[in-house]
Amino acid sequence: MRIAIVGSGGVGGYFGGRLAASGADVTFLARGAHLDAMRARGLRIISPKGDVHIPNVRASADPAEIGCVDVVLLAVKLYDVESALASLPPLMGPNTAVIPLQNGVDAAALVDRAVGREHTAGGTCYVAAVIAEPGVIRHTAMDHLLFGELDRVRSPRLTAFHDACRPAGFQATLSDDITLDVWTKFVRLSVLSGMTTVTRSPVGVIRDDAELWTMLQAAVREAMAVARAKGIAVAATSVEDVAKAYAALPPQTKSSMLEDLERGRRLELPWLSGAVVRIGREAGVPTPTHAFINAVLKPHVNGRTN
């Protein structure tokens, strides 16, 4: 199985690196200093699960140089999806599956419009990983990759990809309902991203402050209500599930959106708390907590301009 990673930052670099280290045929589509470093020194992952160095990593800036693959992990930020879609056609074979791993609930529809429903799968992931420096991925918590066909069929192509993931050392799930999984992640991540970023604090600070914890729970309930208004049967225990999940996180865990804010980068806010507000408005569901988060962070959405 040939695998292409489009977007070789924290998410793509981590899962792609683990796959490559296990012997899978992986090529990274990358650019700039990160690409130069991977070509010169390989790809290194620093992780509490064990560090990895892939000295002879395959990486290119040109999708035509990579050619047809079996699976594409589309791991760019949401605001880069539109430009990344142009790189997909050279990677497409007759049965290629594109698995978008973006936060939010909009990515699969964008891929569908670009390459067609037959090439579009669903995906999501739980991982805290960033580019620490060019050629180096720093992983701090979680490493669960979920994927599945949008029609809920257990296809041979994704079964084969699941088999390729087994020896890679991360949790991989071939989902029977990836749309539900994507929305479940959306409920959780819109809250984690919004709360950590608006407070400029890691999860431990929020978890240990009663008022912030109450605010977080309100944000979970709002996102749940929006999902249900869209016909998505997210678990009735979502508040409890989020509390349990956050209790298991290292206290220093930050969302990628907080990392982006601290580095002066663009924010995925319009597709997280902003999307909760937008979809809630369309569905007639009030979302005051997410509206507050969205309003406070909106001045920073395009990153630092100086």
Side-chain angles (χ1 to χ4, degrees):
M1 166 163 280
R2 298 194 69 222
I3 302 163
I5 310 297
V6 176
S8 302
V11 172
Y14 180 77
F15 288 116
R18 289 288 188 194
L19 284 162
S22 72
D25 183 346
V26 178
T27 305
F28 296 86
L29 187 66
R31 61 189 178 186
H34 193 43
L35 173 61
D36 294 340
M38 285 195 287
R39 284 173 164 169
R41 299 184 295 277
L43 179 66
R44 196 153 56 94
I45 297 172
I46 301 169
S47 168
K49 295 189 67 173
D51 298 348
V52 172
H53 181 222
I54 308 103
N56 298 310
V57 67
R58 286 190 291 273
S60 175
D62 182 3
E65 185 177 284
I66 299 172
C68 295
V69 298
D70 300 295
V71 168
V72 177
L73 290 185
L74 183 63
V76 299
K77 293 282 191 178
L78 262 165
Y79 44 71
D80 288 327
V81 168
E82 291 286 357
S83 59
L85 293 176
S87 69
L88 295 180
L91 305 175
M92 295 294 102
N95 200 39
T96 303
V98 180
I99 303 174
L101 298 178
Q102 285 67 38
N103 298 326
V105 293
D106 302 310
L110 297 173
V111 173
D112 187 344
R113 287 201 294 271
V115 296
R117 181 63 177 259
E118 69 275 16
H119 293 298
T120 306
T124 190
C125 62
Y126 294 88
V127 63
V130 297
I131 297 177
E133 61 184 84
V136 180
I137 304 297
R138 186 179 73 244
H139 168 240
T140 54
M142 305 175 290
D143 62 349
H144 189 185
L145 181 67
L146 302 95
F147 47 89
E149 300 288 0
L150 297 176
D151 61 6
R152 303 175 65 174
V153 171
R154 294 179 75 85
S155 66
R157 64 184 182 179
L158 292 191
T159 299
F161 179 60
H162 188 233
D163 291 341
C165 292
R166 291 182 191 277
F170 57 79
Q171 184 181 356
T173 298
L174 177 53
S175 174
D176 293 322
D177 191 347
I178 192 61
T179 300
L180 175 60
D181 291 329
V182 167
W183 273 85
T184 299
K185 162 80 177 289
F186 176 61
V187 168
R188 295 180 179 185
L189 188 72
S190 62
V191 173
L192 177 67
S193 294
M195 288 297 299
T196 56
T197 308
V198 82
T199 60
R200 274 70 164 174
S201 300
V203 69
V205 172
I206 298 163
R207 195 170 56 203
D208 296 339
D209 184 288
E211 289 179 306
L212 290 176
W213 191 246
T214 298
M215 181 178 171
L216 180 143
Q217 291 175 310
V220 175
R221 292 189 185 96
E222 290 172 16
M224 283 176 60
V226 167
R228 290 185 167 185
K230 295 294 290 183
I232 309 297
V234 294
T237 57
S238 289
V239 175
E240 294 80 7
D241 294 343
V242 167
K244 183 178 178 180
Y246 289 3
L249 291 175
Q252 70 273 20
T253 300
K254 298 179 180 180
S255 68
S256 61
M257 191 161 78
L258 174 55
E259 297 264 11
D260 289 339
L261 179 72
E262 291 175 339
R263 296 176 183 213
R265 296 174 177 164
R266 293 177 67 186
L267 305 183
E268 291 188 320
L269 181 69
W271 298 276
L272 294 171
S273 285
V276 175
V277 174
R278 169 175 51 83
I279 300 169
R281 186 182 301 118
E282 293 167 356
V285 176
T287 55
T289 308
H290 284 279
F292 169 77
I293 292 169
N294 188 58
V296 171
L297 292 177
K298 194 159 53 174
H300 307 285
V301 74
N302 290 319
R304 284 196 293 265
T305 56
N306 55 359

